[in-house]
Amino acid sequence: MSVDEVADALDSSIDGLVSDEARQRLAQYGPNQLRERRSTSGWMKLLLQFHNPLIYVLLITAVATGLLNHWVDTGVILGVVVINAIIGFIQEMKAEQAIESLRQMLSPTAIALRDGVKTTVSAMELVPGDVVFLQSGDKIPADLRLFRLKNLQIDEAPLTGESMSVTKSIDTLDGDVPLADRLNLAFAGTLVTTGTAAGIVTETGDRTQIGHIAYMLHEVEGVDTPLIRRLAQFSKVITVAIVLFCVAIFLAGILSGQEAMQMLMVAVAVAVSAIPEGLPAIMTIALAIGVKRMATRNAVIRKLPAVEALGSATVICTDKTGTLTRNEVTVTHIVSVDGRFSVSGSGYDPTGVVTDENGNEVTPVDAPALAELVQAAALCNDSGLRHEDDRWKIDGDPTEGALLVLASKFGSSLHELSANWPRTDEIPFESELQYMATLHRDESGHAVIYVKGSPEAVLARCTHEWKTDEPIEIQKWQDAVENLATAGMRVLAIAKKQHNPQDVVLDFDDVESDFALLGLVGMLDPPRQEAIDAIEKCHAAGIRVKMITGDHVTTARAIGRQIGISDGTAAMTGMELDRLSEADFDRAVSETDVFARVSPAHKLKFVQSLQRQGHIVAMTGDGVNDAPALKQADIGVAMGITGTDVSKEAAEMVLLDDNFASIERAVEEGRTVFNNLKKTILFILPTNGGECVTLVAALLLGTLLPILPLHILWINLVTTVALAITLAFEPVDHDVMRLPPREPHSALIDRSLVWRILYVSLLMALGTFGLFLYELQVGTSLEVARAVAVNAIVFFEVAYLFNSRHLTDSILNRSGFFGNPIVWWGVLTVVVFQLVFTYWPVANSLFNVQPLDVWMWLRVLAASVLLLLLVEAEKAFSRKRQDLRAAHSVT
């Protein structure tokens, strides 16, 4: 729409609104702010922590023990439930604050035209139809249709992903134009980098582009991590099994003539023994250890289960700007009258050299035309380069800053250049002109005009190349421009013209023709070298990397090729995706790895499409536009330095160094965390199984219970936890990043490990029950026999802890016993606990046990060593069987 059509549609004009009309519209449209949406109350979040099948079973057992007046048991069980709920509640309360961060992105004040007068008003009071004025440094307060501007450039990177400031215009646009190409609009929350403008407010509050993102962010349901989903399924299965088993035991006892209250106590004991009460605490502590380890590798975890989630990832969707690239525009190629040159180094650090096509370093003496081009680039420039806080920074336009960095790399002193060739006049860059021109004079009175700008604008003003009188070959230079642009570069042309020394004013007529072309400069937002290495490692680990950016498709192809994501040929744009059906969209997302000119809604659809196809998706990003997709992804990864508050709040993980390589290291850490958690679960469950089988055996044989519910809680909550935590400190396996990702829908415990759990449970039950019966047989008191049974289970755990350090490999070597020194600290802790349990009178009274003699300890320790050897024998048999299967499949 033209400006007049926009004004008519909004019943306004470029003269703004009168105050009365503005007040009426404020009542009609509401304040220019993002609407607060209802969230779950704190009490409801606390109550939801108890919404777990295993917690239900624990609560029922607590009621049952209370009815039987076993108040100590009841108190301990309820304590476990409450502690788990508090831990979950604290994590929940630290969650989403993204909407509030979005609210803070809106400008607090604005300059509007009210009653024909420029007035500073609260940005919340802006309404559609208001006329707003912008200047450099302003945060845009609402979505605007621009109708007057001068040299306006806006940083839209947080919203669109565009790495360079966007030069705006007031021209009408035809067709369906992607967000990043709507050059006659300015969007709320973006920043004016240079220039001035005026525009009519078209949308406010929730109807702005940033408001749409806020809505998507609110509507997106956070996805549970793979670990949470596996644990939920595991909890349901084990809960159903426990309930059915306990009911069967209770009914069997009643039918066999046992008393109901006695059988209820047995059922409670079986339930308590079967439920791994310590598992939630162990999982939380193990994940917290993973959090600490990741923090040392520049990855901060905001939600504990996310530690493991990245290790499950099958696809990483990454933004380009600031994530794979440095978000620092850099001159990398030059085509001058002297030839073609490359520039090393990246970012704003002026460390690097200029080399020719043979790789030789070039000096100003070797290439005078290049030297003149570099001087022109530094003088026809309004930006500044400074070193602050151990970083090089640009004041002004990043593109001009890149030219200053080039001059420094080439050995030029920016201060000396300005002093030797002071500027006397200029024609500033404007989008309508597409060039900037400056007039300079030296001490000798020589005057020169430099011009830099778009190749089309500058080449049209050139009649010859520098130091030649031959007419310029326009086609040759246009081909050079095309080659640089195809490589994803932004291209500037630079030219020079001698001027009348007596003329100190620069007119438009002075820059129309007769320029000598100095050459072309190609610049881009360079990829991080560490990102290239990290992507290669991700591919080796079977993880597919997809780049999703709001930048131009040519740039996206070039960056994709340079960093190894694609071959540089296959790329799709947002407009192409919009024309696809859901099935075709899914196919395109699956087959293509580079996407350009996409909107925030596209990024969200990418994640949802990959999740429909069964992938575990990690999404990286730093802008506001990434927030909905970060929240939808299985794990969102935000950038800590360049990332907006919105993206950080929506993500589960924040990278402190904005380095894609940290993601690869986090994947390695995540896989290690999962492996260690798997070892932990494999260690815990046989303990519960052994306790359960022991109790069932006692019931079937009609003997006294070897262990009581309170003994079981002591074992499950104290000794098991102390030992299991040590497995969270297991070091990284050497081949963890050479294995493919875990199958997304695979079970937490596979069939081979189920057999291991049953096997060890049976060994523990046989050992415990056998020792208990032996002590009773030789006339030992019930209290001592039960103390033997409890210590037998605990020291069986100690032996099995070493078995669990390697799921399949043998531990009968130095590394197996001493590869993780934390294990020995856990063993020492448990030994101290058991000595207190066995010999402290208060503990004897509380647990109804009595001290052991030396021979009893020797029998317990001998049985423990035997268990360790029997488990190692089973592992050796499994390895042999697997080798035979592999050999059979080869033949």
Side-chain angles (χ1 to χ4, degrees), residues 670-722:
R671 289 187 173 189
T672 300
V673 166
F674 181 81
N675 288 344
N676 291 347
L677 284 174
K678 198 170 183 178
K679 293 174 185 177
T680 301
I681 293 171
L682 191 65
F683 167 75
I684 292 171
L685 292 185
T687 302
N688 296 99
E691 293 164 349
C692 193
V693 173
T694 300
L695 292 171
V696 173
L699 177 66
L700 293 175
L701 297 175
T703 66
L704 294 168
L705 294 179
I707 49 177
L708 300 174
L710 198 56
H711 298 154
I712 295 166
L713 288 171
W714 167 264
I715 295 168
N716 290 359
L717 295 175
V718 180
T719 61
T720 303
V721 170

Side-chain angles (χ1 to χ4, degrees), residues 609-626:
S609 172
L610 289 166
Q611 287 173 336
R612 275 198 304 273
Q613 297 175 59
H615 287 286
I616 302 296
V617 184
M619 169 74 185
T620 75
D622 57 359
V624 178
N625 59 333
D626 298 320

Side-chain angles (χ1 to χ4, degrees), residues 307-543:
V307 177
E308 177 273 338
L310 198 58
S312 304
T314 58
V315 177
I316 299 176
C317 296
T318 174
D319 194 29
K320 176 184 72 69
T321 307
T323 309
L324 297 173
T325 63
R326 298 175 61 93
N327 200 17
E328 295 178 348
V329 180
T330 306
V331 174
T332 57
H333 290 79
I334 302 171
V335 181
S336 79
V337 175
D338 294 322
R340 296 176 179 271
F341 304 93
S342 298
V343 185
S344 65
S346 61
Y348 298 146
D349 185 350
T351 302
V353 295
V354 180
T355 56
D356 60 21
E357 292 180 278
N358 296 320
N360 300 315
E361 185 175 347
V362 177
T363 66
V365 175
D366 302 324
L370 175 61
E372 192 68 28
L373 180 149
V374 170
Q375 176 172 304
L379 292 173
C380 188
N381 199 308
D382 286 331
S383 289
L385 176 66
R386 59 190 169 87
H387 190 258
E388 183 179 280
D389 299 330
D390 295 326
R391 292 183 66 192
W392 287 92
K393 298 181 180 179
I394 292 295
D395 294 321
D397 181 70
T399 302
E400 290 193 326
L403 297 176
L404 296 181
V405 174
L406 167 65
S408 296
K409 290 177 179 177
F410 200 53
S412 302
S413 167
L414 302 180
H415 177 73
E416 287 183 12
L417 284 177
S418 299
N420 294 338
W421 288 93
R423 185 187 302 184
T424 60
D425 200 8
E426 66 183 77
I427 297 176
F429 178 89
E430 293 196 24
S431 54
E432 291 81 2
L433 299 175
Q434 291 295 305
Y435 69 82
M436 172 185 180
T438 54
L439 174 62
H440 303 266
R441 295 167 60 88
D442 66 2
E443 293 179 352
S444 304
H446 300 106
V448 64
I449 301 172
Y450 291 123
V451 62
K452 80 170 191 304
S454 71
E456 296 80 8
V458 174
L459 287 174
R461 288 165 169 78
C462 293
T463 55
H464 58 284
E465 297 175 2
W466 188 68
K467 291 295 185 182
T468 68
D469 294 325
E470 297 295 323
I472 188 171
E473 297 181 45
I474 293 293
Q475 188 59 50
K476 179 186 78 172
W477 289 99
Q478 287 177 340
D479 290 343
V481 170
E482 181 64 25
N483 289 335
L484 293 174
T486 301
M489 297 184 203
R490 182 175 184 178
V491 185
L492 292 179
I494 300 175
K496 175 184 178 180
K497 176 182 179 180
Q498 299 297 330
H499 193 56
N500 182 357
Q502 306 303 320
D503 194 351
V504 295
V505 177
L506 190 60
D507 295 324
F508 284 105
D509 291 341
D510 296 328
V511 295
E512 283 304 307
S513 61
D514 297 330
F515 276 88
L517 181 67
L518 295 171
L520 307 172
V521 174
M523 58 185 69
L524 48 75
D525 183 10
R528 298 173 179 266
Q529 180 58 47
E530 56 269 31
I532 297 173
D533 299 337
I535 287 171
E536 184 177 348
K537 290 180 181 178
C538 285
H539 287 160
I543 302 169

Side-chain angles (χ1 to χ4, degrees), residues 110-133:
I111 300 176
L113 195 61
R114 294 277 176 87
D115 301 316
V117 178
K118 285 186 178 181
T119 308
T120 299
V121 300
S122 169
M124 290 175 58
E125 297 176 6
L126 290 178
V127 295
D130 258 326
V131 169
V132 173
F133 297 92

Side-chain angles (χ1 to χ4, degrees), residues 89-97 302-303 649:
F89 177 71
I90 291 171
Q91 291 299 320
E92 187 85 15
M93 293 305 290
K94 288 180 179 178
E96 312 305 334
Q97 299 167 352
R302 296 184 63 248
K303 299 171 185 176
E649 293 296 342

Side-chain angles (χ1 to χ4, degrees), residues 571-822:
M572 294 191 73
T573 65
M575 292 186 68
E576 291 172 332
L577 292 167
D578 285 336
R579 294 193 287 266
L580 301 178
S581 64
E582 183 175 289
D584 290 336
F585 187 94
D586 287 350
R587 190 177 305 110
V589 169
S590 176
E591 296 173 355
T592 309
D593 290 332
V594 176
F595 300 90
R597 275 299 190 248
V598 297
S599 69
H602 285 129
K603 295 187 177 187
L604 181 59
K605 287 178 68 178
F606 280 124
V607 176
Q608 292 169 334
S609 172
L610 289 166
Q611 287 173 336
R612 275 198 304 273
Q613 297 175 59
H615 287 286
I616 302 296
V617 184
M619 169 74 185
T620 75
D622 57 359
V624 178
N625 59 333
D626 298 320
L630 288 173
K631 185 176 178 182
Q632 174 69 43
D634 295 279
I635 178 167
V637 183
M639 303 296 117
I641 299 174
T642 59
T644 60
D645 288 343
V646 182
S647 64
K648 292 174 189 174
E649 293 296 342
E652 285 82 14
M653 187 172 91
V654 179
L655 298 183
L656 294 180
D657 57 356
D658 286 17
N659 192 336
F660 187 87
S662 295
I663 297 174
E664 179 269 327
R665 293 194 292 268
V667 169
E668 179 183 78
E669 198 65 55
R671 289 187 173 189
T672 300
V673 166
F674 181 81
N675 288 344
N676 291 347
L677 284 174
K678 198 170 183 178
K679 293 174 185 177
T680 301
I681 293 171
L682 191 65
F683 167 75
I684 292 171
L685 292 185
T687 302
N688 296 99
E691 293 164 349
C692 193
V693 173
T694 300
L695 292 171
V696 173
L699 177 66
L700 293 175
L701 297 175
T703 66
L704 294 168
L705 294 179
I707 49 177
L708 300 174
L710 198 56
H711 298 154
I712 295 166
L713 288 171
W714 167 264
I715 295 168
N716 290 359
L717 295 175
V718 180
T719 61
T720 303
V721 170
L723 293 172
I725 287 172
T726 65
L727 293 174
F729 292 92
E730 284 294 304
V732 177
D733 291 338
H734 66 280
D735 60 346
V736 71
M737 286 301 286
R738 291 198 289 270
L739 299 173
R742 295 186 299 280
E743 186 66 31
H745 302 292
S746 63
L748 189 62
I749 303 295
D750 60 31
R751 188 175 300 175
S752 64
L753 297 183
V754 169
W755 156 247
R756 174 79 54 77
I757 292 167
L758 295 174
Y759 175 69
V760 178
S761 296
L762 187 61
L763 290 179
M764 284 190 176
L766 286 172
T768 304
F769 201 69
L771 288 171
F772 175 74
L773 289 180
Y774 176 81
E775 297 300 335
L776 291 179
Q777 197 73 29
V778 297
T780 305
S781 69
L782 178 62
E783 289 76 11
V784 174
R786 280 178 170 159
V788 169
V790 171
N791 278 295
I793 293 176
V794 171
F795 281 90
F796 288 162
E797 284 186 312
V798 171
Y800 183 55
L801 178 67
F802 290 97
N803 296 125
S804 301
R805 290 201 58 230
H806 297 300
L807 298 181
T808 56
D809 293 342
S810 172
I811 55 97
L812 299 177
N813 50 58
R814 181 179 178 81
S815 173
F817 284 104
F818 301 102
N820 179 2
I822 304 296

